[in-house]
Amino acid sequence: MIYLKLRQAGEQVNHKRFERLYSAARLQVKRRKRKKVPTSVRKPLGRPCAAIQVWSMDFVFDCTAEGRVIKNLTVVDGATHEAMAIVPERAIGGLYLTRILDHLALQRGLPDAIRTDNGKEFCGPAMLAWAHLRGVALFLIEPGKPNQNACIESFNGRFRDECLNEHWFTSLHHARIIIEAWRREYNEERPKKGLGGLTHSAYAEQLALKHDKVTSDSKPGCN
């Protein structure tokens, strides 16, 4: 990622030389060791062909200096992998969750579907009623199979490793400032190899232009 950011800034950097300097300075981030689980049959998830089609949501927990819980709602676009929102609160129930989504819809529009786990906030009466009234489909993954929502799981891992684990929050207000700054940096400044070296925001713009061109040419869209 650092190599891509240097190239993005216009620096002519040799990839092999950069790797040698990177290793010599011991800048590698130690990966967390995960327990090995038995292999199972995995069904591939279809990637949406345009933004604002499918969102993925989840909660990531942390705490402030005095030990009080911070409950972070993370919302990621399935096509661009852009972090649509990260909302830190002390508690987020089903009704408050729908208000957050309504506020986000005013800024970005409503998705066709939202993919979540089976948490009580995501499949409770408030969320079900909200989705029905607004015509949003709810995709619930099977219990114990987070790989069915791999997009948000991958994002949450980076969010914890690069933001939550790197900061000591003195208050909820402090956490909101740091987390929002990280979200903007993740979307607008961080190039990603899987997106052709583009940032998430730049890829979203590129995808929107392609989608608009296909629509104007009256060509069939993705299924």
Side-chain angles (χ1 to χ4, degrees):
M1 184 188 70
I2 297 174
Y3 170 76
L4 289 174
K5 293 191 78 169
L6 289 172
R7 293 296 298 270
Q8 186 183 57
E11 298 287 342
Q12 296 298 319
V13 184
N14 180 276
H15 184 71
K16 292 182 179 179
R17 185 186 180 199
F18 173 80
E19 283 190 347
R20 289 196 300 270
L21 293 173
Y22 186 84
S23 299
R26 298 182 179 181
L27 296 176
Q28 300 94 328
V29 177
K30 292 184 179 179
R31 295 186 178 275
R32 294 174 296 171
K33 293 183 178 180
R34 301 181 184 276
K35 293 182 180 179
K36 292 185 178 180
V37 296
T39 58
S40 59
V41 178
R42 300 190 178 209
K43 297 181 180 179
L45 296 174
R47 186 168 180 173
C49 61
I52 321 298
Q53 286 190 342
V54 179
W55 288 354
S56 292
M57 295 196 309
D58 201 1
F59 290 113
V60 182
F61 292 86
D62 200 45
C63 62
T64 46
E66 74 275 21
R68 295 184 63 190
V69 172
I70 301 177
K71 188 175 185 179
N72 298 281
L73 172 68
T74 56
V75 185
V76 176
D77 187 273
T80 65
H81 292 186
E82 185 179 9
M84 308 298 287
I86 305 176
V87 183
E89 292 289 351
R90 293 298 185 188
I92 299 177
L95 184 59
Y96 186 39
L97 174 62
T98 63
R99 291 175 181 172
I100 293 173
L101 291 174
D102 279 335
H103 179 71
L104 186 57
L106 292 176
Q107 301 173 333
R108 309 299 293 268
L110 280 173
D112 298 327
I114 298 176
R115 183 179 287 113
T116 67
D117 60 22
N118 295 268
K120 61 181 181 180
E121 300 90 350
F122 299 134
C123 53
M127 187 66 185
L128 294 176
W130 177 89
H132 176 73
L133 288 174
R134 287 155 182 77
V136 177
L138 296 179
F139 297 157
L140 301 179
I141 66 173
E142 296 179 60
K145 294 188 177 181
N147 59 291
Q148 294 182 354
N149 202 3
C151 175
I152 197 74
E153 293 294 333
S154 175
F155 173 79
N156 287 347
R158 292 188 180 279
F159 174 46
R160 181 168 296 283
D161 289 343
E162 300 176 10
C163 183
L164 299 183
N165 289 350
E166 293 297 317
H167 294 90
W168 188 62
F169 303 125
T170 57
S171 65
L172 180 61
H173 177 69
H174 180 219
R176 286 171 176 163
I177 293 174
I178 297 297
I179 289 171
E180 179 60 17
W182 181 87
R183 186 188 73 87
R184 290 182 179 274
E185 190 271 340
Y186 178 86
N187 285 339
E188 300 169 10
E189 300 178 24
R190 180 196 189 107
K192 187 175 181 179
K193 187 177 180 180
L195 302 180
L198 297 175
T199 64
H200 295 83
S201 296
Y203 181 75
E205 293 176 3
Q206 185 182 87
L207 199 63
L209 290 174
K210 289 182 179 179
H211 183 69
D212 291 342
K213 183 177 179 180
V214 169
T215 304
S216 63
D217 290 345
S218 299
K219 294 180 181 178
C222 300
N223 293 324

